[in-house]
């Protein structure tokens, strides 16, 4: 049901998209695609100050750069395949490192579908043009659909004469029928929207850590292989850490609550990182690194008349698959505005349910991360975890209950709710308890290096 014809997008309607990360580019792509199907011609301006082809912070949107297996497939079906020069490495397995041992687990289907990539033009010490950027690829696709890239930062948004207006880099206000906010985690940009008084409250954020470590392709193949290395160390505030192999670099990512320099040092010293890095390796002081925020609780009222929020500035997925959540939000928002209009009521009815389902799924995610935190803190449980995965991986025909739970949790391949339900299966609980008990009394195996894939 439409509120009023004034809130419908019509031929010639103008749309401003603020932010050209995955959420903004995918929203523009789907908006133009659906408008064409509905017989509408829209003017779409994407405001984005960054040139994503540049190496270092200037072109980077600070991320681990893992595109989950379901998303690689979904994008390909949408006509957004990932070209080989964007995908730096196909991840074939995950290797989990605990103080009691390392264990590798593989995807249930044994297909190489997870992509490791750089969001921008690579780390700061990479030569310009060396890496093809994921964000530049998506922005190009949106431009090919007909969007205009305005290389500028938006500094104000206001309502005027029943429409919405946008000002960039201190210039004049421009009038639009719809603004899509896709500003990610940028705190300064949140203030622009809070000032509108629509009831929008930005997502709650937490500080994380990323660095790009140059090892060279040969050393990466030798020490890490095509495996993502996952660490659950008993270090306060850390949910998990990961080493993600790419072309010549390894991305070190630490997620949790307010990660500080001290937490990073404790992580590198305690987590078994030495087991998968070359002998004598130390974290270089001057490597490309950043401490970006990650959304840990969704925004309040991420829609208003003529205003819709997509991606991290709305509701994202807890700790994993933020790009996948941006894709889902972008497609749902584009569908809502083309087919139901741009009023707050239409967005509440036809867009908000998608965000609400991501937010509700995060509640199950919180329970799952509570369990992984208990595993981190209680040493007696850990040998049981390693034992159970080793047995499952040694018998590929038997049900891989623990492996699939960990795979889907840490790759973001399945909703947290599905993963949670699987943890309640009596066969899983009984087997896990048995492995914990046996693990308590079995002689500890030395935590040797897990063979790479
Ligand atoms: C440490 C860490 C690791 C992560 N790892 C992964 C991972 O491996 N896989 C995964 O799927 N997700 C991961 N994420 C989450 C992922 O980065 C985000 O979910 C994703 O980037 C969200 O996309 P977005 O377009 O909403 O925001 P962003 O990618 O942040 O893009 C926002 C864009 O808006 C622009 N912008 C901001 N303000 C303005 C303004 N006022 N005017 C104009 N432009 C503006 C910015 O320049 C930026 O380009 C990780 C996050 C963190 C912090």
């Amino acid at each position: 049901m439409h509120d009023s014809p004034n809130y419908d997008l019509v031929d010639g309607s103008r749309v401003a998209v603020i932010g050209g990360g995955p959420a903004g580019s995918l929203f523009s792509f789907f908006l133009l695609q659906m408008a064409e199907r509905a017989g509408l011609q829209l003017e779409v301006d994407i405001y984005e100050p960054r040139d994503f082809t540049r190496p270092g912070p200037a072109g980077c949107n600070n991320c681990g750069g893992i595109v989950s297996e379901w998303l690689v497939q979904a994008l390909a079906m949408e006509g957004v395949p990932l070209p080989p020069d964007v995908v730096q490495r196909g991840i074939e397995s995950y290797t989990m490192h605990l103080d009691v041992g390392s264990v590798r687990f593989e995807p249930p289907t044994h297909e190489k579908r997870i992509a490791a990539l750089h969001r921008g033009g690579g780390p700061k010490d990479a030569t310009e043009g060396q890496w093809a950027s994921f964000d530049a690829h998506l922005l190009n696709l949106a431009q090919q659909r007909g969007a205009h890239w305005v290389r500028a930062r938006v500094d104000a948004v206001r309502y005027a004469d029943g429409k919405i207006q946008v000002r960039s880099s201190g210039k004049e206000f421009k009038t639009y029928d719809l603004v899509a906010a896709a500003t990610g985690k940028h705190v300064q940009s949140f203030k622009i929207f809070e000032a509108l008084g629509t009831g929008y409250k930005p997502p709650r954020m937490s500080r994380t850590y990323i660095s790009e470590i140059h090892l060279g392709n040969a050393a990466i193949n030798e020490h890490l292989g095509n495996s993502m290395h996952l660490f659950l160390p008993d270090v306060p505030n850390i949910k998990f850490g990961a080493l993600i192999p790419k072309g010549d670099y390894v991305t070190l990512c630490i997620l949790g609550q307010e990660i500080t320099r001290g937490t990073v040092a404790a992580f590198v010293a305690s987590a078994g990182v030495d087991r998968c890095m070359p002998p004598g390796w130390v974290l270089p002081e001057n490597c490309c690194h950043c401490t970006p925020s990650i959304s840990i609780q969704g925004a309040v009222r991420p829609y208003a008349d003529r205003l819709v929020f997509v991606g991290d500035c709305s509701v994202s997925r807890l700790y994993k698959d933020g790009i996948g959540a941006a894709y889902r939000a972008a497609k749902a928002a584009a569908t809502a505005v083309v087919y139901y209009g741009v009023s707050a009521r239409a967005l509440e009815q036809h867009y908000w349910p998608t965000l609400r389902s991501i937010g509700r799924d995060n509640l199950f995610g919180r329970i799952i991360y509570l369990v992984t935190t208990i595993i981190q803190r209680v040493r007696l449980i850990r040998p049981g975890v390693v034992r159970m995965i080793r047995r499952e991986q040694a018998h590929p025909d038997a049900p891989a209950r623990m492996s699939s739970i960990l795979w889907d949790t840490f790759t973001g391949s399945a909703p947290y709710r599905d993963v949670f339900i699987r943890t309640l299966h009596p066969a899983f609980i009984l087997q896990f308890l048995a492995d914990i008990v046996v693990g308590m009394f079995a002689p500890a195996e030395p935590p040797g290096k897990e063979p790479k894939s």
Side-chain angles (χ1 to χ4, degrees):
M1 192 188 72
H2 293 238
D3 270 353
S4 139
N6 288 338
Y7 283 118
D8 283 345
L9 292 179
V10 294
D11 240 3
S13 286
R14 288 166 47 76
V15 179
V17 180
I18 309 179
S25 291
L26 287 170
F27 172 78
S28 308
F29 179 88
F30 291 127
L31 177 70
L32 287 158
Q33 189 183 57
M34 285 175 206
E36 190 181 302
R37 282 185 202 150
L40 296 179
Q41 273 231 314
L42 303 180
E43 290 284 317
V44 178
D45 292 337
I46 304 178
Y47 289 87
E48 173 55 66
R50 287 168 198 267
D51 173 357
F52 297 123
T53 62
R54 292 187 58 195
C60 182
N61 264 333
N62 322 98
C63 171
I66 287 288
V67 177
S68 55
E69 48 191 345
W70 79 267
L71 184 57
V72 173
Q73 272 184 326
L75 288 175
M77 282 165 64
E78 301 282 6
V80 188
L82 299 183
D85 57 345
V86 167
V87 179
Q88 302 298 320
R89 206 170 267 264
I91 300 293
E92 294 166 359
S93 65
Y94 270 41
T95 306
M96 188 170 77
H97 300 274
L98 293 167
D99 55 348
V100 294
S102 297
V103 65
R104 193 174 76 222
F105 45 99
E106 295 180 355
T109 52
H110 294 277
E111 282 180 39
K112 197 205 298 187
R113 285 203 227 105
I114 291 183
L117 40 78
H118 287 295
R119 298 283 302 272
K124 67 178 182 189
D125 40 356
T127 19
E128 194 135 356
Q130 190 179 356
W131 309 110
S133 146
F134 175 67
D135 287 23
H137 173 60
L138 296 185
L139 185 55
N140 277 338
L141 288 174
Q143 288 174 271
Q144 281 164 22
R145 276 252 156 225
H148 314 287
W149 173 24
V150 184
R151 195 167 169 198
R153 177 170 294 280
V154 167
D155 51 37
V157 176
R158 70 180 184 197
Y159 286 104
D161 304 327
K163 296 266 173 130
I164 190 162
Q165 296 186 325
V166 166
R167 188 182 69 190
S168 65
S169 313
K171 295 193 193 128
E172 298 212 323
F173 276 96
K174 285 190 178 168
T175 302
Y176 291 95
D177 298 281
L178 170 70
V179 165
T183 54
K185 48 206 167 285
H186 294 252
V187 175
Q188 286 308 319
S189 303
F190 293 157
K191 293 184 182 149
I192 299 173
F193 302 110
E194 283 177 288
L196 284 173
T198 60
Y200 171 73
K201 286 209 182 70
R204 203 149 68 81
M205 297 282 174
S206 180
R207 194 152 296 286
T208 64
Y209 174 86
I210 305 184
S211 57
E212 298 287 351
I213 301 154
H214 185 269
L215 276 193
N217 200 29
I220 292 178
N221 286 339
E222 186 184 341
H223 295 280
L224 293 111
N226 290 339
S227 196
M228 168 145 161
H229 294 258
L230 180 75
F231 303 86
L232 294 176
D234 184 8
V235 173
N237 293 347
I238 294 184
K239 286 284 174 210
F240 59 89
L243 284 170
I244 306 163
K246 297 191 180 157
D248 283 340
Y249 286 80
V250 177
T251 304
L252 166 60
C253 229
I254 306 178
L255 271 72
Q257 303 282 333
E258 301 310 329
I259 305 300
T260 62
R261 201 181 254 261
T263 329
V264 176
F267 173 82
V268 171
S270 76
V273 173
D274 56 334
R275 266 180 251 153
C276 52
M277 293 299 258
W281 174 82
V282 285
L283 181 64
E285 280 275 312
N286 60 351
C287 63
C288 191
H289 68 279
C290 58
T291 53
S293 299
I294 197 162
S295 162
I296 51 168
Q297 192 158 27
V300 174
R301 218 179 146 76
Y303 53 85
D305 286 338
R306 300 195 186 282
L307 179 60
V308 62
F309 294 79
V310 283
D312 274 11
C313 62
S314 63
V315 181
S316 186
R317 195 157 188 270
L318 185 66
Y319 295 130
K320 282 282 148 194
D321 196 28
I323 301 170
Y327 155 80
R328 285 177 61 196
K331 192 168 177 187
T335 310
V337 299
V338 168
Y339 294 108
Y340 301 98
V342 298
S343 68
R345 209 160 75 132
L347 291 165
E348 182 168 330
Q349 283 177 2
H350 301 285
Y351 172 53
W352 172 239
T354 299
L355 296 185
R356 194 175 47 205
S357 85
I358 297 172
R360 284 185 178 159
D361 193 55
N362 285 342
L363 297 178
F364 292 97
R366 278 182 208 289
I367 301 172
I368 291 168
Y369 288 114
L370 191 68
V371 174
T372 60
T373 304
I374 293 170
I375 293 172
Q376 283 170 272
R377 301 288 173 265
V378 184
R379 192 179 189 284
L380 280 178
I381 302 177
R382 296 198 284 269
V385 177
V386 172
R387 225 187 143 74
M388 192 161 169
I389 299 174
R390 282 206 177 131
R391 200 193 33 259
E392 288 175 358
Q393 295 297 313
H395 300 96
D397 295 333
R401 299 188 198 282
M402 175 69 90
S403 310
S404 78
I405 284 171
L406 290 173
W407 177 265
D408 286 337
T409 300
F410 289 107
T411 61
S413 300
Y416 286 129
R417 183 175 173 276
D418 291 8
V419 177
F420 177 72
I421 288 171
R422 274 183 269 154
T423 65
L424 302 180
H425 196 292
F428 169 76
I429 295 172
L430 287 175
Q431 189 58 60
F432 189 25
L433 288 176
D435 276 312
I436 290 173
V437 173
V438 176
M440 281 179 190
F441 299 106
E445 287 181 43
K449 215 168 178 149
E450 182 74 3
K452 13 173 236 314
S453 51

